[in-house]
Amino acid sequence: MNKMKLGNTNIDISRIGLGTWSIGGGSAWGGDHDLQVVLKTIRKTPELGINLIDTAPGYNFGNSERILGEALKEMKREELVIITKCGVVWDQEMKGDLFNVVNGIQLYKNLNSESIKKEIEESLKRLGTDYIDVYMTHWQSTEGSEYYVPIQKTMEVLNELKAQGKIKAIGAANVNIEQIKEYLKWGKLDIVQAKYSILDREIEKELIPFCHKNNITIQVYSPLEMGLLSGTFPRDYKPVGAQIPKKWFQPKNMQAAMDMMDKWKPLCEKYNCTIANLALAWILAQGDFLNILSGATTVEEIKENIKSAELVLEKEDIELMRKMAEEINN
């Protein structure tokens, strides 16, 4: 698989990374998986050309990190680029801004120094490693709240961790342009994680141009709109869990998206690929500074994702797909 530089670092990352949101299991993350199967999936990634693996403490309360840590015991750590995150906690002592409630447990957003220092030690222990390649703020602090932490203060502790060798690069997820500018005032920001799909192109307005200009890698999450753009859901599909409130899982919108994917079938034949391959290849075709984070729980799913990076879509087909998506977004 083609590689790309991570921001302004000398770190090479595969253009598609393995997302482990689901691998940690739990009802809120799509259910539990066979442990041996997901361990095999993670361990197979370098052989398949993927060296980037993304996780977070918030994925089933540390279980995603623990499973990745178990897999790492039989892998060469230096061959991998691992992203994990900070800023979402369920520690009653730390608290913070109210976030989600999952399985009856209250989550908080907290980016103060004490919390981050505690989080990184816990993540290092779960992962069984002494450094993290990219440490990313998961959700940003809420301005005006009693728990608000200025980005300057968050960057102070992240820069400290970087100087100590515990992290190699800093990233931020779910940020707007003003927040990115604030991060850059106080240090290096090499990667931004944002939602982007052919159906949700909001970041094209400001975030993509700004990050491209400043050589910040954009890592795309939810490129298949929580599975909808896999093209595998039946017409009478009933959304589950986190899908239920989302725009594209509302009945009328979901049917419109399925109509669009039906119109993609000639392209699938032309490129000998699946609907999902097309959706991912379209993202990659938007710029070589874009990176895709794609979830997989089996080796077969990873192999399917990799095919997307090998597709070279013709310009007119890229434009046609965009036009189809725009028509159902109006």
Side-chain angles (χ1 to χ4, degrees), residues 45-65:
T45 53
E47 181 183 329
L48 295 172
I50 292 178
N51 73 336
L52 181 65
I53 303 178
D54 174 273
T55 186
Y59 301 161
N60 199 12
F61 308 102
N63 204 43
S64 175
E65 285 187 331

Side-chain angles (χ1 to χ4, degrees), residues 87-265:
V88 175
V89 300
W90 55 96
D91 187 327
Q92 298 301 308
E93 292 181 6
M94 290 299 181
K95 290 199 174 180
D97 290 319
L98 294 179
F99 193 42
N100 297 332
V101 176
V102 180
N103 297 339
I105 299 174
Q106 178 67 59
L107 295 175
Y108 304 91
K109 290 194 295 184
N110 190 330
L111 283 171
N112 70 37
S113 299
E114 182 185 359
S115 185
I116 291 174
K117 288 178 180 179
K118 182 178 180 182
E119 277 199 80
I120 188 138
E121 295 304 327
E122 291 174 345
S123 288
L124 289 171
K125 183 177 180 179
R126 286 190 289 258
L127 291 165
T129 184
D130 56 3
Y131 71 95
I132 291 165
D133 300 277
V134 181
Y135 204 42
M136 183 176 289
T137 54
H138 203 161
W139 286 92
Q140 303 309 303
S141 195
T142 305
E143 290 193 41
S145 81
E146 63 174 303
Y147 297 102
Y148 174 66
V149 179
I151 288 172
Q152 177 185 358
K153 295 298 182 182
T154 296
M155 280 296 281
E156 283 176 3
V157 69
L158 293 177
N159 286 329
E160 181 182 332
L161 294 175
K162 196 173 179 180
Q164 293 171 354
K166 292 183 178 180
I167 66 176
K168 292 186 175 182
I170 296 168
N174 306 299
V175 282
N176 58 38
I177 293 296
E178 294 309 313
Q179 289 168 331
I180 294 173
K181 289 178 180 177
E182 192 66 18
Y183 273 94
L184 292 175
K185 282 183 184 178
W186 309 107
K188 290 184 179 179
L189 185 68
D190 289 301
I191 185 169
V192 162
Q193 202 176 87
K195 186 179 184 302
Y196 184 45
S197 77
I198 196 168
L199 291 176
D200 183 354
R201 303 180 304 282
E202 182 67 24
I203 67 170
E204 291 180 346
K205 296 176 182 177
E206 292 186 316
L207 196 143
I208 284 180
F210 183 85
C211 288
H212 189 204
K213 180 181 178 181
N214 288 277
N215 201 27
I216 299 171
T217 296
I218 296 177
Q219 186 175 59
V220 175
Y221 71 80
S222 202
L224 296 181
E225 285 292 336
M226 303 185 82
L228 178 60
L229 290 174
S230 67
T232 60
F233 292 174
R235 285 277 177 173
D236 60 353
Y237 179 76
K238 302 296 182 186
V240 296
Q243 295 172 341
I244 294 173
K246 302 301 183 184
K247 172 182 176 179
W248 289 104
F249 283 93
Q250 304 314 301
K252 184 179 178 181
N253 294 334
M254 187 164 62
Q255 294 306 314
M258 289 181 174
D259 289 341
M260 178 189 73
M261 287 183 279
D262 282 343
K263 294 177 183 177
W264 286 3
K265 288 179 180 177

